[in-house]
Amino acid sequence: KCLDTSFQVNCPLTASKDWKATVVKNIEALVGSCVVLPCTFTHPGTQLSNSRLRGIWHRKDNWNEIFYHEDNTKIQDSFKGRTKLLGYLGDDNCTLEIDDVKDHDNGPFCFRVELVKKDDNKPTSDKFSFVEECAEIKMLHDPRKPKFGPLKSAVEGKPYTVTCSIRHTCSSHWPEITWNRGSKDDIIEVHKDINGGIWETESILVFIPEEKDDHTDLTCTAKFHGGKSSSTAFMLNVKRTENYNHIIIPVVAVAATAVIFGLVCVLMQTNFNLQSTQYK
C-alpha cells in the first residue's frame, strides 16, 4: 500500500493496516472480448459516500500511465473508451472492466483511491495506491471450447438432459450458448461465480429423442462478447424402446392352440365314452 500527497512515482510505503485492497492478481482474457478485474478495498472510519471517493487504475511502474479515471482526459489514449468502473466506491467496490481487450493490455493494473473535498472535488492528502495488489492479464487469442457434462444414454421417447458449459472472465457480458436443436423453451441457463474473476455459464438442454436422432451430432456453441465463438459436438446414440410384440403374439398363439387342442381332445374322449356306453 502506498500513501502519498504528491502523486509521484517514488512514493514511500506506509505500514497502514486500515487501508487494504483485494485485487485478482492473475487472470485470463480473450483478445477482442472484455475482462472484469474484481477489486474491493477497506478504509478506516465510517462508510464514505461515493462522492467523497475517486477511483483510479494505473500501471504499477508508472503512476502517470492511467488506465481509468473519471476525467477521461487523463486516461492513456490506447485505453480511452475501453475502461469502466463497475464497482460502486461507496460500497468499497473498485471492480474494473476492460472492453475490446488488446494484446498490450497485460498490466500490471493497480488501484488507487483518493479522498476528495466536498466543496471543490479536489483530492485531500489521503491518497492510497495499492501497488502490492495489482492484476496481470494473460492473453487468449482463441476462445476455449465449451465442455459437456457427464453424458448419459438416450432412450427413444424419454426426456434426455445434456449440459454444456464454458468458463470466461467477462462477467459483464455473458457468452451466449446455443444448440443445433431444440428451442429456447427447452433450455435453462445458469451463471456461476467460480472465484478469482472466473465465471461459468452453463446451458441445460432437455428434449425427447426420436429414432431419427440416433447417430446424429449434438453441437453446443459458445459465442463470446466481441464476436468470437467456439463449438463442441458429440454423436448421440439413441436406444430404441423394446417392442415385445414379436414375442407376445407367437406365445399367445401357441397357448390358444394348446387350449383348443385340449378342448378337442376332451370332447373326443367324452364322445368316445358315450359311444362305448351305448354298445354295452
Side-chain angles (χ1 to χ4, degrees):
K1 296 171 290 295
C2 186
L3 166 65
D4 81 305
T5 58
S6 59
F7 199 26
Q8 298 297 315
V9 174
N10 297 321
C11 169
L13 295 177
T14 57
S16 171
K17 295 182 179 179
D18 295 320
W19 287 87
K20 294 181 179 179
T22 301
V23 180
V24 60
K25 290 191 174 183
N26 293 283
I27 194 168
E28 291 182 345
L30 177 63
V31 174
S33 186
C34 90
V35 63
V36 174
L37 309 180
C39 172
T40 58
F41 68 100
T42 59
H43 54 79
T46 58
Q47 185 174 3
L48 297 171
S49 66
N50 203 64
S51 61
R52 289 292 318 280
L53 297 167
R54 175 180 293 134
I56 300 169
W57 283 82
H58 61 82
R59 189 177 295 280
K60 182 175 183 177
D61 54 0
N62 185 357
W63 294 13
N64 290 314
E65 189 173 341
I66 297 175
F67 305 122
Y68 169 80
H69 196 289
E70 63 182 31
D71 183 353
N72 190 59
T73 63
K74 297 182 182 295
I75 300 176
Q76 291 289 306
D77 288 342
S78 59
F79 282 89
K80 283 183 179 179
R82 296 198 297 117
T83 57
K84 180 167 59 177
L85 203 63
L86 296 182
Y88 189 73
L89 296 177
D91 292 332
D92 303 334
N93 189 328
C94 42
T95 298
L96 179 74
E97 177 197 80
I98 304 174
D99 198 9
D100 191 16
V101 173
K102 309 294 185 184
D103 278 324
H104 57 72
D105 295 346
N106 304 91
F109 299 87
C110 305
F111 175 66
R112 173 183 177 87
V113 63
E114 298 179 349
L115 271 69
V116 299
K117 298 177 182 179
K118 291 183 179 180
D119 51 355
D120 57 8
N121 201 35
K122 291 184 178 180
T124 65
S125 59
D126 292 322
K127 306 174 184 180
F128 295 84
S129 279
F130 303 95
V131 292
E132 296 174 356
E133 294 287 334
C134 301
E136 294 191 51
I137 299 176
K138 177 184 177 181
M139 299 301 165
L140 295 178
H141 290 86
D142 298 312
R144 298 192 181 280
K145 290 185 176 295
K147 294 182 178 180
F148 290 110
L151 298 175
K152 300 179 181 179
S153 298
V155 179
E156 177 189 357
K158 294 185 178 181
Y160 180 67
T161 302
V162 60
T163 300
C164 177
S165 63
I166 188 70
R167 292 194 175 186
H168 60 95
T169 56
C170 182
S171 57
S172 54
H173 302 277
W174 306 120
E176 180 185 1
I177 296 181
T178 56
W179 300 83
N180 65 333
R181 64 157 302 147
S183 64
K184 289 185 177 181
D185 294 335
D186 302 323
I187 298 170
I188 300 173
E189 194 168 274
V190 180
H191 304 284
K192 300 177 182 178
D193 184 357
I194 303 301
N195 207 1
I198 301 172
W199 285 76
E200 183 177 76
T201 294
E202 184 179 78
S203 181
I204 305 168
L205 171 68
V206 181
F207 68 99
I208 297 178
E210 302 175 14
E211 183 179 342
K212 65 180 182 179
D213 295 319
D214 190 31
H215 289 86
T216 60
D217 283 340
L218 190 59
T219 305
C220 165
T221 301
K223 184 178 180 181
F224 301 86
H225 173 66
K228 291 184 177 179
S229 63
S230 60
S231 300
T232 303
F234 78 96
M235 183 176 289
L236 189 66
N237 292 311
V238 180
K239 292 183 178 180
R240 298 182 181 180
T241 304
E242 292 293 343
N243 187 342
Y244 295 102
N245 288 339
H246 66 289
I247 299 175
I248 294 173
I249 293 174
V251 169
V252 171
V254 170
T257 302
V259 170
I260 293 171
F261 181 76
L263 289 173
V264 170
C265 292
V266 170
L267 291 174
M268 290 177 64
Q269 182 65 39
T270 302
N271 187 46
F272 177 77
N273 291 337
L274 289 174
Q275 291 178 357
S276 298
T277 302
Q278 291 175 357
Y279 286 112
K280 288 182 180 180

